[in-house]
Amino acid sequence: MSRSLIVIAVVAGLALILLGKGCSSFNSFSLQEEDVENAWSKVQSAYQRRSDLIPNLVQTVKGYANFEQKTLTDVVDARAKATSMTIDPSNITPEQLKEFQAAQSGVSQTLGRLMMITENYPDLKANQQFLELQSQLEGTENRIKVERDRFNDTVTKFNKSIRTFPNNVFAGIFGFSQKAQFEAQAGSENAPKVNFE
Amino acid sequence: MTSMNSLMKYLIVVKTGFFLSMFLLLTNFVQAQKTMPKPTGYLVNDFAGMLSRSEVEQLGAKLVAYARETSTQIVVVTETSLEGEDAFDYSYRLAKSWGIGGSKEKSNGVLLYITKEDRKVRIQTGYGAEGFLTDAMSRRIIEQMIVPAFKEGKYYAGIDAATTAIMDLGKGEYTNEGGGKRKSEGGKALLLIFLLLFGLIFFLAIYNRNRRRRNYEDDGGYHRGGRYDERNSGGGGWFFFPMGGWGGGGSGGSESSSDGWGGFSGGDFGDFGGGDFGGGGAGGDW
């Protein structure tokens, strides 16, 4: 009699502990997921900022006679391709992220080429508006880098927390899975390098 | 038997010591990043010694007055060398870890970072400062004010003009509701010494009293949290004592933690508000 009571009490106690633990890990996963989404939106707005700069940049450069048309159309095309991509922040798959990254690095590469060619145009390099755009572009590239790093940090934190022991069980039950990250600066060597002398 | 035991003990001590030192060596080796100086509590930190004492004081006074009025914190840091690290990466880390800015919400901090041997300048704008100090503006300030002056070796003129320009841009963007964080500057050093002495006597008294008591009284967790226990960890309790910053009433000779005895610090301000940085700003060389 008293023995079965003890068993019941122990089971009930364990169930309570499990329930409590489950609730708290569910909440912490949800909050961390929110952080990841927030970090993602910042990544996107940094890339958006770059996209917004491109029309102005192209417009300014266009004015300079016989500027390589092909380079300009390449940039515009790459931008169009990148902006056509939309990713659902609550469900970023590794494939999507890879695609996104490829599209954006297409922009980086064409922009890099454009900036390299502008070195041959001393008039352009003396143009105040061009210089401002150039520095905005540089700042934007830095912002992209910062936000990407932060996104990766946030995702790492999330992944770590759902991977460790008691949490991984709950994560499985609640359907939280590992999230994708940016690959370590693939193609960063092609990012526009902006030099001032 | 007892000699065996003591030999074993000795060996264990030697071994752990060996592993410990290996571990320390390894962690040091892995950490290739340049170590950052700790926040000094000053707005002007001339670690590279590029300015004279009075210049640092003038600059500091200007920036403190501005920070008190607007809550926007403009911090100047000069260092000798980046030790091979990228100017953007390092200054970003520095600005973020110091948390320059009136508060986390405002994030209205600006770091003007100068490295003497690399001849590089970098402006880092906090999230909340990007509005008034755009990347294009940062570049103009660097190109038109800092670089020409620095080329002639006029460091003060360059920094002074640049900070004034930033101050003008940021005027009216923010106001300081909180008031100054520190009290008058003159009495601060004296007050600190008094407090430290008082604290020392106080802790010693408690320590002695409890030492006598400890033998027969279980005092639970209370003493573990007590400050005097830190005395055992290699004097960790007063590590702040000889650090720079409390010297000469607001502009004392402050020790640079990365470059040895560099220059002065000025513009005593107290704590940074934990501002956040997103990579805005510009850079240049001279």
Side-chain angles (χ1 to χ4, degrees):
Chain A
M1 174 62 189
S2 70
R3 189 174 226 155
S4 61
L5 253 180
I6 289 173
V7 170
I8 288 170
V10 167
V11 169
L14 278 177
L16 256 176
I17 289 172
L18 269 176
L19 189 76
K21 182 69 193 143
C23 282
S24 79
S25 42
F26 179 81
N27 288 345
S28 94
F29 295 157
S30 304
L31 286 176
Q32 286 188 45
E33 201 156 53
E34 200 77 16
D35 288 345
V36 172
E37 280 171 34
N38 183 32
W40 175 254
S41 73
K42 286 197 172 147
V43 169
Q44 263 187 325
S45 72
Y47 277 117
Q48 184 60 44
R49 193 190 174 105
R50 185 170 73 173
S51 280
D52 295 345
L53 279 175
I54 290 173
N56 268 332
L57 191 68
V58 169
Q59 209 54 46
T60 311
V61 175
K62 230 181 204 164
Y64 286 79
N66 70 28
F67 193 91
E68 286 81 349
Q69 286 302 313
K70 168 112 183 28
T71 323
L72 288 176
T73 47
D74 279 353
V75 174
V76 173
D77 290 348
R79 173 185 182 266
K81 199 179 156 205
T83 46
S84 71
M85 283 206 61
T86 43
I87 290 185
D88 175 19
S90 61
N91 184 30
I92 305 170
T93 63
E95 294 76 40
Q96 279 179 320
L97 194 64
K98 211 167 199 159
E99 228 176 292
F100 179 84
Q101 205 172 341
Q104 292 296 351
S105 80
V107 179
S108 303
Q109 279 169 25
T110 51
L111 264 180
R113 213 171 309 135
L114 174 68
M115 295 322 263
M116 222 166 70
I117 292 172
T118 57
E119 298 286 314
N120 306 327
Y121 291 79
D123 290 357
L124 184 56
K125 292 201 72 187
N127 179 337
Q128 194 56 37
Q129 200 189 350
F130 175 73
L131 288 175
E132 313 257 282
L133 282 167
Q134 200 180 23
S135 57
Q136 276 176 15
L137 189 63
E138 190 207 23
T140 304
E141 293 293 342
N142 285 329
R143 286 187 180 88
I144 289 173
K145 192 165 109 183
V146 164
E147 297 305 347
R148 274 174 54 138
D149 285 350
R150 286 191 181 191
F151 174 76
N152 275 359
D153 287 348
T154 323
V155 172
T156 306
K157 217 174 121 201
F158 176 82
N159 285 349
K160 265 186 186 163
S161 91
I162 69 166
R163 216 173 181 169
T164 42
F165 166 58
N167 286 346
N168 59 357
V169 179
F170 292 115
I173 294 168
F174 297 130
F176 289 96
S177 55
Q178 304 264 321
K179 289 189 186 299
Q181 289 179 311
F182 281 107
E183 276 156 34
Q185 298 294 339
S188 65
E189 65 275 9
N190 299 313
K193 261 273 176 294
V194 182
N195 292 312
F196 303 111
E197 48 267 272
Chain B
M1 200 60 202
T2 43
S3 68
M4 267 292 273
N5 263 343
S6 60
L7 187 72
M8 286 289 277
K9 259 184 203 158
Y10 174 69
L11 273 175
I12 285 166
V13 167
V14 167
K15 257 191 191 166
T16 41
F18 175 71
F19 280 121
L20 205 70
S21 53
M22 280 299 283
F23 178 71
L24 284 176
L25 261 175
L26 274 175
T27 47
N28 268 339
F29 185 70
V30 168
Q31 197 177 35
Q33 282 181 327
K34 172 171 155 65
T35 46
M36 272 181 289
K38 288 201 176 61
T40 53
Y42 291 91
L43 295 183
V44 182
N45 300 276
D46 183 24
F47 295 136
M50 296 168 85
L51 305 170
S52 76
R53 194 186 190 115
S54 65
E55 286 168 347
V56 167
E57 268 172 52
Q58 263 180 305
L59 207 56
K62 179 177 86 170
L63 294 180
V64 165
Y66 186 71
R68 290 240 164 85
E69 186 194 329
T70 64
S71 84
T72 302
Q73 295 177 353
I74 303 167
V75 174
V76 181
V77 174
T78 75
E79 281 192 311
T80 328
S81 162
L82 278 165
E83 293 164 24
E85 219 186 313
D86 180 64
F88 169 78
D89 290 338
Y90 178 75
S91 57
Y92 170 75
R93 270 200 306 133
L94 185 70
K96 193 166 161 11
S97 78
W98 279 19
I100 298 164
S103 66
K104 189 158 174 47
E105 293 72 40
K106 288 182 190 162
S107 284
N108 50 351
V110 177
L111 171 66
L112 174 59
Y113 179 80
I114 297 153
T115 162
K116 196 178 175 190
E117 279 173 7
D118 305 279
R119 302 175 81 85
K120 278 188 179 6
V121 196
R122 184 81 228 183
I123 292 178
Q124 286 284 350
T125 47
Y127 274 123
E130 287 175 2
F132 64 86
L133 184 59
T134 60
D135 301 346
M137 272 300 175
S138 310
R139 189 194 59 86
R140 266 198 224 173
I141 288 168
I142 290 175
E143 295 288 285
Q144 292 171 10
M145 293 167 172
I146 297 182
V147 171
F150 276 30
K151 273 189 174 144
E152 292 171 33
K154 292 176 183 159
Y155 300 125
Y156 176 71
I159 297 171
D160 187 49
T163 44
T164 303
I166 297 170
M167 282 162 57
D168 288 343
L169 285 170
K171 215 152 240 166
E173 286 282 327
Y174 294 98
T175 46
N176 190 8
E177 309 92 29
K181 278 193 174 168
R182 284 208 182 172
K183 282 180 261 170
S184 74
E185 303 187 355
K188 200 198 61 162
L190 257 169
L191 193 74
L192 203 73
I193 292 170
F194 266 120
L195 275 175
L196 277 172
L197 271 176
F198 182 75
L200 189 81
I201 293 163
F202 185 70
F203 285 133
L204 275 176
I206 290 184
Y207 183 68
N208 280 334
R209 210 175 63 145
N210 284 318
R211 218 154 73 152
R212 266 180 268 127
R213 256 204 226 167
R214 197 176 276 175
N215 296 328
Y216 57 90
E217 198 180 67
D218 176 19
D219 30 33
Y222 168 67
H223 285 103
R224 253 167 264 142
R227 193 176 213 127
Y228 59 85
D229 273 349
E230 288 172 20
R231 283 155 54 90
N232 300 330
S233 61
W238 356 92
F239 73 99
F240 56 88
F241 193 59
M243 287 262 298
W246 59 283
S251 61
S254 167
E255 179 191 349
S256 149
S257 46
S258 62
D259 305 62
W261 295 89
F264 306 104
S265 296
D268 177 14
F269 195 69
D271 296 329
F272 297 125
D276 203 355
F277 286 74
D285 309 84
W286 79 87

